[in-house]
Amino acid sequence: MKVKLHMHNSNHNVAVFGAGYIGLVAGACFAELGHRVTIRDIQPARIQALQSGAVPIYEPGLGEMLTRNSKRLRFTLDADEAVRDAEIVYVCVDTPPTASGDADLSRIWAVINALKGASHLAVVTVKSTVPVGTGARIRAAMDTAGLEHVPYASNPEFTAEGRAVEDFMHPDRIVIGTEDDTAAELLADLHDGVKGPTLLMDVASAEMVKLTANALLATKISFTNEIATLCEATGADIAHVTKATGMDHRLGPHFMNAGLGYGGSCFPKDSRALRALASNSGYAFQLLTAVIEVNDLQPRRAVQRLKNELNGLKGRTIALLGMTFKPGTDDMREAPSTVIASRLQAEGAHVRCWDPMAPACNDGPWASAHRCATLPQTMTAADGAIIATEWPQLRQANWSRLATMMNTPVLFDGRNLLTPHVMKQHGYIYLSVGRPTTPATPATTPHDRHPQRA
């Protein structure tokens, strides 16, 4: 593995294919570094919004960065226009999972096909997450498309939604996988100004780094949730356990928060993709299979625990607090809240939901859930509530007042956001993940005024 090559500190013309979370952030950040960037997408509404100065996704700092660098940014639906003056092409399209768990690479192939004959390019770079071995297949496809003299590179992204701009500009590392030294130097030069070390390696290793990092983080989350379940069975407190365990310098405290499990566009997809890659290679990745199964169970456990506490959910009104997969984003992909809402409805409950950022949703369980604008509206006459996203508004809420609005102040805190003894004082039967259930203080609870329905 080689270290960062010499930098020339020159500006480049970059074409970015894909104006989603990855492509839009990458394009904006490259423009911030002084490069001229054309971002191409196939969705007319998205490109029209960007051309008019609107930002179609929520990401802290992104709108300001796009505005600040508007003279260096162009947006187009035309692949030829994007490539015409480009030296470097970045492929940032999504690679959703197929029914078999493999990555759907159809959008990747569409971009490669659109580059046919663009032999002036200095390098074609894939930032999308792809299975190991995809680079070799793309290389062969590029050769067929008349791009045999254009180098290929893998430059995986390690940005987390909600802090993607910060992660891009101040990364733990920049990974560049390529067999071509000139392309490696060009991409290293492209990142000049980014505060982070650059690691150069072969394409297959670069592809594996991304999948490995996400799978290992997913493993830490599922392992912590397994320990949390043991804590519930033994009377231990997961907060004490993870704090002390995370102080071990060999382990660290990151991604050891017990809760409803991971969601979003990366961890679920990449974990399944790595498992599929192993299966396709004839290897049963048993540890990763367990990680995925534990994660799938977490939101279902939340519903079951609330059901046990309320003696059933049929006819109950349940307040679902938080819809996005994590705070600081409007992304609903693989959000645990979707499973929770679906399970609540399957048990016969009426779902009221609140979220400050989630887009209008009419798919699946959201079609029959009632979206409320405020927390008091969501909690009024509710028979129970579940915190699914750790929005700061929930930490700051007037929980004592909200308790008086509920039929039965039973709260399942799926993110361990609140403090058990404080919630007890506010009158709640408070359930959380890996911590002892806190019964409400009888003197303060309105619970007796609203007997549970049979």
Side-chain angles (χ1 to χ4, degrees):
M1 186 180 293
K2 295 178 284 186
V3 295
K4 183 183 277 192
L5 297 172
H6 177 67
M7 295 299 190
H8 298 300
N9 193 27
S10 56
N11 295 332
H12 301 285
N13 290 334
V14 184
V16 175
F17 281 73
Y21 284 90
I22 304 306
L24 198 53
V25 169
C29 289
F30 284 139
E32 179 84 357
L33 294 170
H35 306 296
R36 293 170 296 277
V37 181
T38 301
I39 299 178
R40 185 256 183 166
D41 201 276
I42 60 174
Q43 298 183 40
R46 176 161 289 194
I47 291 300
Q48 188 175 11
L50 288 164
Q51 288 173 337
S52 65
V55 185
I57 58 174
Y58 176 75
E59 190 62 47
L62 178 59
E64 295 86 344
M65 185 174 278
L66 289 169
T67 301
R68 189 164 59 244
N69 296 286
S70 59
K71 291 183 179 179
R72 284 193 288 268
L73 281 160
R74 290 188 303 162
F75 307 97
T76 183
L77 291 164
D78 189 335
D80 290 338
E81 180 187 345
V83 173
R84 189 176 300 127
D85 299 322
E87 302 165 69
I88 303 165
V89 163
Y90 261 85
V91 183
C92 301
V93 296
D94 59 337
T95 53
T98 65
S100 63
D102 297 290
D104 178 357
L105 302 180
S106 58
R107 294 169 180 81
I108 298 269
W109 301 127
V111 174
I112 299 303
N113 189 56
L115 301 179
K116 191 173 292 185
S119 56
H120 66 281
L121 293 172
V123 61
V124 172
T125 312
V126 167
K127 189 170 276 295
S128 305
T129 303
V130 296
V132 182
T134 301
R137 295 171 61 196
I138 294 176
R139 175 72 272 167
M142 286 173 60
D143 293 348
T144 304
L147 304 175
E148 60 270 18
H149 300 300
V150 178
Y152 173 79
S154 171
N155 176 215
E157 58 85 19
F158 300 99
T159 53
E161 287 182 40
R163 50 166 297 134
V165 171
E166 173 69 18
D167 284 347
F168 189 101
M169 300 301 289
H170 299 88
D172 294 324
R173 73 291 199 201
I174 302 163
V175 172
I176 297 172
T178 184
E179 315 301 332
D180 187 285
D181 289 345
T182 302
E185 187 156 356
L186 178 60
L187 292 176
D189 188 41
L190 183 69
H191 287 83
D192 192 23
V194 173
K195 305 292 192 293
T198 298
L199 301 177
L200 304 180
M201 61 190 70
D202 61 280
V203 171
S205 295
E207 292 170 339
M208 184 65 90
V209 168
K210 168 66 175 180
L211 294 172
T212 300
N214 278 353
L216 187 55
L217 292 173
T219 300
K220 286 191 75 171
I221 294 169
S222 282
F223 182 81
T224 301
N225 281 329
E226 287 280 75
I227 296 298
T229 303
L230 274 178
C231 286
E232 292 167 13
T234 58
D237 188 322
I238 190 65
H240 297 318
V241 173
T242 52
K243 181 178 181 179
T245 303
M247 292 173 75
D248 189 320
H249 70 277
R250 300 167 300 173
L251 302 172
H254 305 296
F255 290 83
M256 289 188 70
N257 297 318
L260 297 173
Y262 54 79
S265 63
C266 289
F267 287 3
K269 175 175 70 72
D270 293 352
S271 298
R272 290 193 289 261
L274 188 57
R275 181 178 62 175
L277 179 69
S279 299
N280 297 341
S281 305
Y283 167 63
F285 203 148
Q286 294 176 333
L287 176 60
L288 196 51
T289 296
V291 167
I292 295 166
E293 289 177 351
V294 168
N295 196 69
D296 288 345
L297 187 61
Q298 285 305 107
R300 298 169 187 274
R301 289 188 70 246
V303 174
Q304 186 61 41
R305 289 184 62 193
L306 192 66
K307 177 182 177 180
N308 292 343
E309 190 64 41
L310 290 173
N311 264 334
L313 293 169
K314 187 174 182 180
R316 305 281 188 183
T317 296
I318 305 300
L320 184 52
L321 309 179
M323 297 164 63
T324 58
F325 86 94
K326 71 174 186 178
T329 179
D330 58 354
D331 197 346
M332 293 284 294
R333 287 177 291 182
E334 299 276 356
S337 63
T338 304
V339 176
I340 291 171
S342 183
R343 284 294 309 129
L344 287 170
Q345 290 171 353
E347 293 286 346
H350 308 291
V351 177
R352 288 210 208 108
C353 52
W354 167 89
D355 192 284
M357 287 296 304
C361 300
N362 294 306
D363 298 332
W366 306 116
S368 46
H370 178 68
R371 181 82 174 262
C372 297
T374 67
L375 283 172
Q377 287 175 10
T378 318
M379 299 286 270
T380 298
D383 299 300
I386 297 178
I387 293 178
T389 313
E390 59 270 42
W391 285 105
Q393 292 94 321
L394 294 173
R395 188 178 278 112
Q396 299 154 8
N398 185 339
W399 287 103
S400 181
R401 176 169 170 260
L402 291 174
T404 66
M405 298 176 176
M406 300 179 71
N407 283 346
T408 50
V410 177
L411 175 66
F412 182 90
D413 185 351
R415 298 300 182 182
N416 288 0
L417 184 70
L418 307 171
T419 306
H421 76 271
V422 173
M423 297 308 290
K424 177 181 178 180
Q425 291 170 358
H426 289 325
Y428 288 90
I429 298 173
Y430 177 76
L431 302 86
S432 54
V433 185
R435 302 187 294 185
T437 295
T438 305
T441 304
T444 61
T445 179
H447 186 240
D448 295 336
R449 298 198 303 268
H450 304 279
Q452 292 182 3
R453 293 188 288 270

